[in-house]
Amino acid sequence: MPNPTDTDSPAIQGDIRLDSSVKSTMYYIGGVPVHFPFVPYPSQLGMMNHMIRALNKAQNTMIESPTGSGKSLALLCATLAWRQSFVVRQRKMQENVRQIITRFCMHNTTLLRSRYGSNGTDADPDKKPDAMETHASEKPDILSNNYSFVTLQARAQTLQSETVDFILDTSKKQTLVGLSKDDLATLGEYQDAGKSATQRPRIFFGTRTHKQVAQLVNELRSKTPYRLRTAVLGSRAQTCTHPKAKRAESVDDTCRQLRDDNNCGAYTGFRRVLGSKKLAEGGELEIWDLEDIVSVARPLVACSYYASRELAATAKLVFCPYNYILDPAVRKAAGIELEGNIVILDEAHNIENAARDAGSFEVSDLQLASLAHECSGMFDHGILRNEHLVLKSLADTLAAWLQRDGAAFEYCDYETQTSVWPKPECSVDTLLTDLALTPDYISQVKSAQAKIEDYIASLRTQSNEHGPEDPELLPRDKHVSAGALRVVEGLLRVLKHVAHGSKFATDFRIAVVRHPNPELRTSLKRKRQSAFESKPAFINTLSFWTMNPGVVFSEIAEQTRSIVLTSGTLSPLDSYASELQVDFASTLEANHVIAPSRFCALAVECGPSGVRLEAKYRTSDQLEFQDDVGEAIRAIAARSPDGMLVFMPSYALLNKLIARWEATGRLAEIRSHKTVFVEPQGGTKDQFDKLLLSYRKHLSEPNETGAVMFGVFRGKVSEGIDFSDHFCRTVVNIGIPFPAFKDVKVMLKREYNNEHTMLLNGSKWYDIQAFRAVNQALGRCLRHKDDWGAIIMLEARFVQNANIARLSKWVRGHMRVFGRFENAKQYLDAFYDERISEDAKDMPQVLDAEENVTIVLDE
């Protein structure tokens, strides 16, 4: 195997360029030349090798790699290198096939003419080859009505797949002159490849948030030499610059209304962005993120939202939040075509829940009333009266049923009441029949929706032809809103699945949920009750909940070439294949890049006073437990340097412990060692960002106390935030965050899994949800190879091997179990002392890519 080579070597052929100004070294991994910016970590080599092998075989795979291990960079380089190599192989095969067809034509003219000439059974004199393939002098002989040899050969090349099939079929009946067995084998390989022999796979790289998308874009353009046409799909909230839309409660709805009313000059001029030299090949923003395209569009008075969608249609690599891929309606609206392409879903630890949410649909009686009102207005204006009457009838029927008196609810909590179908006395089929939602009626609704959408499209076409000088061409009273159509589209989508005979009919639960109207909830609005006399006291929601994430995910898997799920915390891996109904041919659990001496993981059974630390529902109310946990936190805070994170299963327990410690003085003792920050329940993103900024600012200033942030599993602090270096030297986990046992959706999901033997049983599914949340919280610290920190499980259940086995590989292999807190504290103190001492005398060392070269084996 050759040594890595510098990027000064001749550029390989393909449709991805290499930027020579970006320093990199080339490694052969799995037979593919991969350009990487520095010496890869062993875990990165493993990831890239694993990725390339899966893509070569067109398989689905899962990769768990700890945060800080360079996962994103490895995924980008491996995928782009594989695509470059794949395109080169495609082009070589296509050239070989062209040469074989040429030889066939030269030596088998009779067969050629019988196939493509006018006297052949398949001849079609009116069907001429592509203009690019036929020269003016190569026109057919008009008198004989036959094509010339050159024209026939051009047709054979143009209809390449058809010609290959013809040659292979004929070769089974007779010997073909001029073609060898190797030639026929090459044609057979081409035939077996099907569409993949000619299709250039596009890459859709999805992650959880817009912020993470921006981080991926920055990795690609600042660290890798790969240059290609990319695009980013984002929301209107991220890209819209229209002042009215930005101020509106719903940017989406306001944007659509401004567009349809032809009152947005930026929309009518969005194509001006497409001609920007900055975004062109070789331009300074060839690889761009949402902020970049907004900066280009703003001075052009052009819409960056629609420009980004247009650019995404031809991009080889598209970044987006992964709901754009999962949600069928969003995917359709964004124009994402998955057939034969590659989907990478990063931060995929929540993918099962996200897929279930994407396959579900909810609509309130208020939304149905609004739909009925809009359709009534169209009826009164004489616009597609029959079609709008059908939609109005649907909305009125469902709204009346939701608001009916005497409805029985089998699930009730403090504020919310829920009724679920199927019931022992009423199946889903019976319910749909009672609501007159028969197949024939649903077909009528679908037909009406299609005609209304065609009508709106024709109005929009007329508007574009007239231009912005005629702003009244598409007034609001000429069509129903986009929001109304989304309600109809969502209903049709789920009704198709729950209908009798659908393969997913038993995978849904239909529910009616009744809860207080939030507009009447605040004390301020109660004082103005007269202003809300027309507001209903309750809102009723019709919900179609899918228990099976495979409803949407299996459709994605059927279309794509490969799906790659990756995260720092996919463990436990057991449920993905069965839950998503997708075959994952391989999995990889990578090691951490951090040396074992730079982190410690402890599980402690008993607190400082000997109380068993088991944060269950019953024990968490015991004052002895609360006090011992508080003393353990105080003792750890006294020794832990810099930042410290403490996670609990729920806000209820967090608030309970804080209140107890405040009353006993324990919180004041903790504050003597650390400034205390508490993650708020609810609140806005801006409020949380301010809290996080205060935490970071405190730790960035010279002080002796450091800081501790209390949060909850699955909360804002526990997911997607980088607490590297001094921002987090210690993570403390209290309890195990099992989902709410009496949550209706959780109960239904457990029952569903117990009824389907191909799935994990309900109890095991329930357990996995908890341990994934734990693993996600553990990943908040240890963010790069020179980082260090401690992970402490103040939970007796983590001394059990069965529970340790459910943690991520990089943790479970290093977990030390202590029965007594005193012994754990001694070990922890020694670890802190050693690391602080090493930090004082060691400076971080950066490896040089040219001086540290390794040979990467194919195997």
Side-chain angles (χ1 to χ4, degrees), residues 179-224:
L179 299 189
S180 66
K181 290 183 179 180
D182 288 342
D183 290 336
L184 294 176
T186 298
L187 296 183
E189 183 182 348
Y190 176 88
Q191 186 183 60
D192 292 341
K195 289 183 179 180
S196 67
T198 55
Q199 180 182 357
R200 306 287 189 260
R202 302 173 68 207
I203 302 161
F204 291 92
F205 203 129
T207 190
R208 201 165 58 88
T209 65
H210 287 293
K211 182 178 180 181
Q212 289 164 336
V213 167
Q215 291 170 347
L216 285 169
V217 171
N218 185 59
E219 288 265 294
L220 176 62
R221 66 181 171 190
S222 66
K223 295 182 180 179
T224 83

Side-chain angles (χ1 to χ4, degrees), residues 726-774:
H726 63 286
F727 291 120
C728 180
R729 292 301 187 197
T730 305
V731 173
V732 179
N733 288 343
I734 298 171
I736 301 177
F738 292 102
F741 190 79
K742 293 187 177 181
D743 180 90
V744 175
K745 288 186 180 180
V746 171
M747 288 191 288
L748 293 174
K749 175 61 178 169
R750 293 184 66 173
E751 291 171 3
Y752 172 86
N753 277 40
N754 286 333
E755 293 167 1
H756 293 75
T757 56
M758 78 289 288
L759 301 176
L760 297 177
N761 66 54
S763 295
K764 192 168 184 180
W765 171 86
Y766 183 74
D767 290 348
I768 281 176
Q769 308 313 303
F771 286 94
R772 285 212 183 112
V774 170

Side-chain angles (χ1 to χ4, degrees), residues 56-97:
N56 274 334
K57 297 176 182 178
Q59 294 176 337
N60 305 317
T61 188
M62 290 189 287
I63 299 175
E64 181 184 65
S65 183
T67 302
S69 59
K71 167 172 53 73
S72 299
L73 187 61
L75 292 175
L76 286 168
C77 290
T79 307
L80 296 178
W82 174 86
R83 187 187 184 280
Q84 181 80 316
S85 176
F86 182 78
V87 170
V88 170
R89 295 198 304 271
Q90 275 186 325
R91 289 178 171 175
K92 287 180 178 178
M93 175 181 282
Q94 288 171 324
E95 179 57 32
N96 289 337
V97 169

Side-chain angles (χ1 to χ4, degrees), residues 257 260 371 373-376 378 388 391 452 455-456 476-485:
Q257 194 63 62
D260 289 347
L371 170 61
H373 177 74
E374 290 189 40
C375 290
S376 180
M378 296 302 104
H388 285 105
L391 299 193
I452 292 171
Y455 163 74
I456 295 175
R476 297 187 182 187
D477 60 357
K478 290 292 185 184
H479 66 92
V480 294
S481 67
L485 287 177

Side-chain angles (χ1 to χ4, degrees), residues 365-385:
D365 51 0
L366 298 183
Q367 290 173 297
L368 291 167
S370 177
L371 170 61
H373 177 74
E374 290 189 40
C375 290
S376 180
M378 296 302 104
F379 182 89
D380 292 343
H381 282 82
I383 299 171
L384 296 177
R385 301 185 74 179

